[in-house]
Amino acid sequence: MESNYIRFTPLSGAKSESALCYLLEIDEAKILLDCGWNDAFNVDDLRQLKRIAKNVDACLLSHSTLHHIGALAYARSYMGLRAQTYATFPVVDMGRLTLYDIWQSKRATEDFTTFNLEDIDQAFEAITCLRYHQPIELSGKCKGITITASSAGHTVGGTVWKISKDTESILYAVDYNHRKDKHLDGTVLLQPDGNAPQEFQRPSLMITDAFNAQQLLQPSRPARDRALLESTMATLHAGGSVLLPTDSSTRVLELAYMLDSYWMANRVRYHLILLTHFSYRTAHFATSMMEWMGDTVRSQLTDTRENPFQFKYLRLIQRLSDLEKYAGPKVILASNLSMETGLAREVFLRGEWSQNPNNTLILTERALPGELARYLYDEWKEGVGALASKEVGNEVQLDNVLRLKVDRKVLLEGQELADFMAAQEARLERERANAALLERNRRALLEEEDDSDEDEGSLDGDANHLIEMDMLLSKTGSHDVYMKDATKSGGFFKQTQSYRMFPYVERKKKIDDYGESIVVEHFLNASSGNTKDTREGGGRGGNLDANGDTRMGGDDDDGDTRMEDRTEGADGNDARTDQDMIHPEDSLPSKYVSSEEEVVIRCKVRYVDMEGRADESAMKTILQAIGPRKLILVHGTEEQTDTLCQTYLELSDMTREIYTPSIGEILNVSEVTNMYKINLTDALLSSLMFSTLGEIDLAYLVGQVQIPSGSTAPVLGIPTVQGEGGNKKLLTSGGPVGGDATTGATAGPATTLSSDQPPALPPLQQQQDANGIVVVSNTAQQQALQPQAQQAQQQRLEMLARKHQPVFVGDIKLTEFKNRVLKQAGIEAEFLGDGVLVCNGVVAIRKVDQTGQILLEGSPMSQDYYLVRQLLYKQFALL
């Protein structure tokens, strides 16, 4: 007997809007659901994760935003997280860019050392990439658990995870979107007919968020698009500029695609700019992810043969100084969303941008409390007052003075610059002296080598050892040659001398058939030079950006962009180093400074919801369609979580088991079910009549599971009947089976019922173990009654087996049945009236919504009736 033990512990993101990170325990397996962080990167926020990181067996990532993957690199490098991580391909690619961009943003304003690019690369290279609807069986302590990724909407590659083990199924669905975006389709949790897919219905447990709990109905998408474009064009016509803070690789694709399409349709002449540290790479990745996009962009690619993310009007820039090339009014999409760091903050604080009343700041997402973008959102919300349902708020003209801590990276000047240059010169002088000394020692080694008659097969290894030794010497600064050491003294009358020591390798000269010495280094240098020339010679094309990708802006190429230096890794992928992420101006002598400044804000602010999340009304519809047995609400303020919980409890068809745990609270959500694994004999297995339903074979069997006294193995009692010659046969759904019943699951006396009434069972004293399983005691009285009890039990089981009526297992959607099955069979069908499917005008099929019963009506004299009935039966498993 097995019973799955399930526990859930929020590590972050419970009764708050903080980053998402949760621990799900299924028996001995520990699964981490998301690994988020915010751009403050406060290590204290990860104290709950640090406590369990080393014990995690698997990690599932649902989105590529910072709040879902922000702590992954730090946890793997500094917390001992070694669990196998799973995510879709876009989440891996875009998530890596998200951390690249935030790392570069932090590094531009402070001495950021929490993690580095190598940590990011190591974390994301260890992720196992999945596709949608691709079931994966886990191993190790997670053996028996299957995970399946499905589309969540919201972001490209966004995932709803289904976690299954035995009869338990757990659904992890956060930040999903029921509406169709311009570049993404809606989540698979809700179908067009208002129902949930069958594989998602009635899960044992569902984990979902309450982030939009108090937003009952969102404004329509056309209304929000119109509000954003009207504010944008009005600002541009008034001579101002528009700033839209956004993320660097996820929701920015929706805004970029929408604005570029509008610019192209209306021939707008104002500048449209995407400003992130990796804007070229983001656009490049988007062009290669069309299979993960929605029907709109895929159909555009099919119809026009042009990739929608090869932007026509959107200019891609990666440095703040490049904005000077685009004078006049402009629209800027800039990272990061919080405006606590990143290029959006630098633009906002640069010069007099925030002081210009003609400029407009358009917020498309809500930041976390305490962040600059959230402060501006709260000011806008207070300015517009209460909004009616489906209403988009207007612009608010601000006139505030805000005191902010401003971090900057400034160039060194005066005495600081002189001291820095002197220190640099001293360091270079030491390096040159060490290099010269190594070269002299190397030449001394070559001059002291003697000819040898040893076979040349061992010479290659000697050369390799010498190269390794040179590398070692260059790192340690030591010398393994015969030389006087002036630093060591053996006293007044003598000096000690240094002799050759390990790891010195005696190098042999190589002589070919003509007597000419072969210097291996000459060939190595030539090979390295050719590789370098190939890398620098434009083998990838001349129109490249600062990251080594093809430029997609058109007219914004400049002469100071450089190609990304790359080295080919062992796996064939490009290996990036920290230097690849540094712009040319980063090499100038500089320092980090921090100051408190008063920022005057007189620009206009407007919030237009482009978050791509379901509202409260859609969340209720989806949960009613899924019908989970247990529900856990996370990721929302305490007020939002409690409000949504009360709303769900008021629904008559919603589960009563709804939990709202706090951070660190361990929640036991184990299902009270008993499950048995029983080995069937060949005779019993061959007697069963299996029906196929999808990928599962089903059969009906009557029996009783018991655990005999003194044993831990469950026994399945099967009814038997008396056959010819007194042989006992097993009675199954396929009829009596020949053979001795004692070879089956259990044995008992042959009995024949003479009445349809169930036999009266004599009283039998029984006990229950800790799991509630019936255990027959070994007392003398019970042993005397045992044969009589077994006979009565056999009679009852036999009666149940004989009275079994056929059962249809499965479900069918009439729309799918019409389009897939009937059309393939050549039967014309159409819907008439209240969902009645009429086939060839003579057979009617309808489904009763309340019970799910399928009614088939037609004339038995018609061949169409029997054909349709046969096709209908094939959609079910008959037991």
Side-chain angles (χ1 to χ4, degrees):
M1 192 267 308
E2 295 184 0
S3 181
N4 291 330
Y5 182 67
I6 302 176
R7 294 199 306 178
F8 178 81
T9 307
L11 307 178
S12 176
K15 293 187 177 179
S16 68
E17 300 177 13
S18 56
L20 295 84
C21 187
Y22 313 102
L23 178 65
L24 178 66
E25 299 178 69
I26 305 177
D27 295 333
E28 296 181 355
K30 292 179 172 59
I31 302 176
L32 193 66
L33 304 176
D34 283 323
C35 191
W37 214 357
N38 56 47
D39 56 9
F41 294 113
N42 186 354
V43 178
D44 291 338
D45 295 339
L46 304 181
R47 59 184 180 275
Q48 294 287 345
L49 175 60
K50 183 178 180 180
R51 179 174 52 85
I52 55 93
K54 295 181 180 180
N55 300 323
V56 173
D57 303 304
C59 178
L60 309 182
L61 305 178
S62 55
H63 294 278
S64 54
T65 62
L66 191 64
H67 291 171
H68 292 268
I69 52 93
L72 182 64
Y74 183 85
R76 289 194 68 90
S77 298
Y78 306 104
M79 288 186 171
L81 179 65
R82 294 294 179 266
Q84 183 61 56
T85 306
Y86 299 89
T88 58
F89 286 90
V91 169
V92 175
D93 291 337
M94 293 305 191
R96 190 197 299 256
L97 287 185
T98 297
L99 288 185
Y100 278 172
D101 188 89
I102 194 65
W103 178 88
Q104 187 74 6
S105 298
K106 300 290 286 187
R107 187 178 171 280
T109 57
E110 62 181 270
D111 187 15
F112 184 72
T113 58
T114 305
F115 57 85
N116 54 38
L117 295 175
E118 184 178 356
D119 298 331
I120 299 174
D121 286 335
Q122 289 178 354
F124 281 86
E125 286 168 3
I127 296 178
T128 300
C129 298
L130 306 178
R131 296 186 179 276
Y132 285 151
H133 311 298
Q134 176 188 356
I136 295 293
E137 293 186 3
L138 305 184
S139 58
K141 291 184 179 180
C142 299
K143 186 177 181 180
I145 297 178
T146 302
I147 59 173
T148 308
S150 300
S151 174
H154 183 57
T155 63
V156 57
T159 306
V160 170
W161 289 104
K162 182 181 180 182
I163 307 167
S164 304
K165 183 177 182 181
D166 299 326
T167 59
E168 306 284 353
S169 62
I170 301 171
L171 201 60
Y172 177 61
V174 293
D175 288 342
Y176 54 85
N177 186 16
H178 68 293
R179 295 181 185 270
K180 184 176 181 179
D181 281 326
K182 293 188 178 297
H183 81 297
L184 290 176
D185 289 334
T187 178
V188 298
L189 295 178
L190 189 64
Q191 296 178 331
D193 59 0
N195 296 319
Q198 184 176 357
E199 61 268 24
F200 295 135
Q201 294 181 9
R202 300 295 294 166
S204 305
L205 173 66
M206 182 174 181
I207 306 166
T208 188
D209 61 338
F211 192 74
N212 271 351
Q214 295 178 332
Q215 188 178 15
L216 184 59
L217 289 173
Q218 291 175 337
S220 65
R221 181 57 192 267
R224 287 178 281 156
D225 291 349
R226 185 167 54 252
L228 189 147
L229 295 173
E230 286 177 355
S231 290
T232 299
M233 298 311 300
T235 301
L236 295 175
H237 292 327
S241 296
V242 179
L243 174 63
L244 291 94
T246 182
D247 54 60
S248 58
S249 60
T250 53
R251 294 302 300 176
V252 66
L253 298 178
E254 176 75 5
L255 296 173
Y257 175 73
M258 181 183 72
L259 293 174
D260 187 72
S261 300
Y262 182 83
W263 253 242
M264 183 168 57
N266 296 276
R267 305 296 179 184
V268 180
R269 300 180 60 86
Y270 298 105
H271 298 301
L272 180 61
I273 300 168
L274 175 59
L275 175 60
T276 68
H277 291 291
F278 296 92
S279 56
Y280 300 117
R281 193 176 296 276
T282 299
H284 174 71
F285 280 164
T287 59
S288 63
M289 295 178 182
M290 299 306 296
E291 62 178 303
W292 300 87
M293 302 290 182
D295 294 336
T296 302
V297 293
R298 287 203 300 265
S299 61
Q300 181 178 343
L301 177 64
T302 303
D303 297 340
T304 64
R305 297 297 179 182
E306 294 182 354
N307 196 301
F309 291 97
Q310 291 178 337
F311 301 114
K312 298 295 188 299
Y313 285 83
L314 184 68
R315 298 294 176 244
L316 310 178
I317 64 176
Q318 299 187 151
R319 291 172 298 201
L320 191 63
S321 58
D322 291 341
L323 278 178
E324 298 175 358
K325 302 176 184 178
Y326 304 96
K330 48 187 168 287
V331 178
I332 307 171
L333 303 174
S335 61
N336 284 301
L337 178 66
S338 67
M339 296 183 67
E340 284 295 299
T341 186
L343 294 170
R345 180 185 178 93
E346 294 186 40
V347 171
F348 185 75
L349 300 179
R350 186 186 189 192
E352 299 180 352
W353 198 98
S354 63
Q355 303 178 27
N356 189 344
N358 293 327
N359 293 341
T360 301
L361 176 70
I362 300 181
L363 303 172
T364 57
E365 295 189 52
R366 290 163 291 175
L368 296 180
E371 297 177 340
L372 177 58
R374 185 57 174 263
Y375 166 79
L376 297 171
Y377 168 80
D378 292 338
E379 291 294 314
W380 168 84
K381 192 174 182 180
E382 182 180 351
V384 297
L387 295 175
S389 179
K390 295 188 175 182
E391 180 183 359
V392 182
N394 295 321
E395 300 170 350
V396 174
Q397 188 80 47
L398 297 184
D399 188 7
N400 297 8
V401 177
L402 182 63
R403 190 166 187 83
L404 291 177
K405 178 184 177 183
V406 180
D407 298 323
R408 289 191 178 93
K409 185 178 182 180
V410 298
L411 298 179
L412 295 180
E413 297 178 351
Q415 187 62 38
E416 288 182 334
L417 179 59
D419 295 342
F420 176 82
M421 297 304 295
Q424 287 289 95
E425 184 62 28
R427 182 180 61 83
L428 293 176
E429 184 63 29
R430 288 194 301 270
E431 291 178 355
R432 286 193 293 266
N434 291 336
L437 189 56
L438 285 174
E439 181 63 22
R440 287 196 301 270
N441 294 336
R442 191 168 154 302
R443 290 179 180 179
L445 283 173
L446 295 176
E447 292 173 357
E448 292 179 3
E449 291 173 349
D450 298 325
D451 296 339
S452 175
D453 294 332
E454 295 181 11
D455 109 285
E456 296 182 0
S458 64
L459 300 181
D460 293 337
D462 293 341
N464 293 335
H465 284 303
L466 184 59
I467 295 174
E468 294 175 1
M469 185 193 71
D470 289 343
M471 295 174 61
L472 179 62
L473 294 180
S474 65
K475 294 180 180 179
T476 61
S478 59
H479 311 288
D480 287 326
V481 296
Y482 181 84
M483 58 184 296
K484 291 184 178 180
D485 193 344
T487 63
K488 293 184 180 181
S489 176
F492 180 81
F493 296 100
K494 63 177 181 178
Q495 289 182 336
T496 59
Q497 294 178 339
S498 300
Y499 293 86
R500 295 172 180 169
M501 300 175 65
F502 182 83
Y504 175 76
V505 177
E506 187 75 21
R507 177 168 172 171
K508 310 301 180 182
K509 286 186 178 181
K510 285 188 173 183
I511 306 299
D512 60 14
D513 294 339
Y514 299 93
E516 181 179 357
S517 177
I518 299 175
V519 182
V520 179
E521 287 78 2
H522 293 174
F523 297 93
L524 293 177
N525 293 338
S527 176
S528 301
N530 291 338
T531 304
K532 183 177 180 180
D533 294 341
T534 303
R535 206 169 54 235
E536 297 178 350
R540 293 163 55 95
N543 190 23
L544 299 171
D545 63 21
N547 291 319
D549 293 325
T550 303
R551 280 192 175 274
M552 304 176 64
D555 59 356
D556 58 343
D557 296 340
D558 54 352
D560 62 350
T561 55
R562 63 182 179 86
M563 190 174 182
E564 179 185 12
D565 293 330
R566 298 182 177 223
T567 57
E568 194 75 0
D571 58 353
N573 296 326
D574 292 333
R576 289 175 288 274
T577 63
D578 288 5
Q579 295 298 325
D580 299 329
M581 310 302 171
I582 299 176
H583 296 304
E585 61 269 22
D586 291 338
S587 60
L588 299 177
S590 58
K591 66 177 181 179
Y592 297 103
V593 297
S594 179
S595 62
E596 293 281 344
E597 299 181 7
E598 289 187 350
V599 179
V600 179
I601 304 176
R602 293 196 176 96
C603 63
K604 294 187 287 292
V605 177
R606 188 174 193 180
Y607 171 72
V608 180
D609 185 3
M610 291 290 174
E611 294 180 353
R613 292 186 176 95
D615 55 25
E616 182 180 340
S617 176
M619 292 161 63
K620 289 194 296 185
T621 302
I622 291 174
L623 261 69
Q624 284 180 299
I626 294 176
R629 295 185 177 91
K630 295 183 180 181
L631 180 65
I632 297 178
L633 299 179
V634 294
H635 193 221
T637 64
E638 185 171 0
E639 181 182 359
Q640 290 174 332
T641 305
D642 294 340
T643 300
L644 189 62
C645 177
Q646 188 61 36
T647 301
Y648 288 156
L649 289 174
E650 294 174 357
L651 301 176
S652 58
D653 53 351
M654 184 63 66
T655 177
R656 304 294 96 184
E657 297 187 68
I658 303 179
Y659 305 94
T660 58
S662 303
I663 294 177
E665 179 182 349
I666 301 176
L667 196 62
N668 188 352
V669 288
S670 302
E671 193 70 33
V672 185
T673 39
N674 294 325
M675 199 169 45
Y676 303 91
K677 290 184 179 180
I678 299 177
N679 295 327
L680 302 180
T681 62
D682 293 338
L684 176 59
L685 189 63
S686 61
S687 68
L688 299 176
M689 297 179 60
F690 285 96
S691 297
T692 302
L693 179 64
E695 299 179 354
I696 304 175
D697 292 332
L698 302 174
Y700 183 86
L701 180 64
V702 175
Q704 183 179 22
V705 178
Q706 287 185 338
I707 299 181
S709 176
S711 174
T712 58
V715 174
L716 179 64
I718 304 295
T720 58
V721 296
Q722 192 75 24
E724 297 179 1
N727 293 329
K728 299 171 184 177
K729 298 183 179 181
L730 301 176
L731 184 61
T732 67
S733 58
V737 183
D740 191 351
T742 58
T743 62
T746 187
T751 311
T752 303
L753 293 180
S754 59
S755 173
D756 291 338
Q757 298 297 325
L761 295 178
L764 181 63
Q765 297 181 1
Q766 296 175 338
Q767 297 179 355
Q768 292 186 349
D769 62 6
N771 296 316
I773 305 303
V774 175
V775 179
V776 181
S777 301
N778 287 327
T779 62
Q781 181 182 3
Q782 292 176 358
Q783 289 179 358
L785 295 176
Q786 192 171 13
Q788 186 178 1
Q790 288 182 353
Q791 179 180 1
Q793 182 66 19
Q794 285 292 328
Q795 293 176 353
R796 186 170 65 174
L797 293 178
E798 181 182 352
M799 185 198 67
L800 292 175
R802 292 184 182 279
K803 296 184 64 176
H804 169 66
Q805 298 295 326
V807 177
F808 288 97
V809 179
D811 192 13
I812 185 175
K813 299 187 182 302
L814 295 183
T815 304
E816 182 180 355
F817 182 67
K818 167 182 174 292
N819 297 332
R820 181 173 58 87
V821 181
L822 295 179
K823 184 177 181 180
Q824 186 177 1
I827 299 176
E828 296 183 0
E830 59 179 347
F831 284 99
L832 298 177
D834 298 331
V836 178
L837 182 62
V838 179
C839 308
N840 284 344
V842 294
V843 181
I845 306 174
R846 62 188 180 94
K847 186 175 183 180
V848 181
D849 295 335
Q850 291 77 9
T851 62
Q853 186 179 10
I854 302 292
L855 300 181
L856 180 66
E857 300 175 354
S859 173
M861 304 301 295
S862 172
Q863 291 294 333
D864 293 334
Y865 174 83
Y866 296 100
L867 178 59
V868 173
R869 187 181 69 172
Q870 182 181 7
L871 294 174
L872 191 61
Y873 281 1
K874 290 182 178 180
Q875 310 308 309
F876 299 88
L878 182 60
L879 303 180

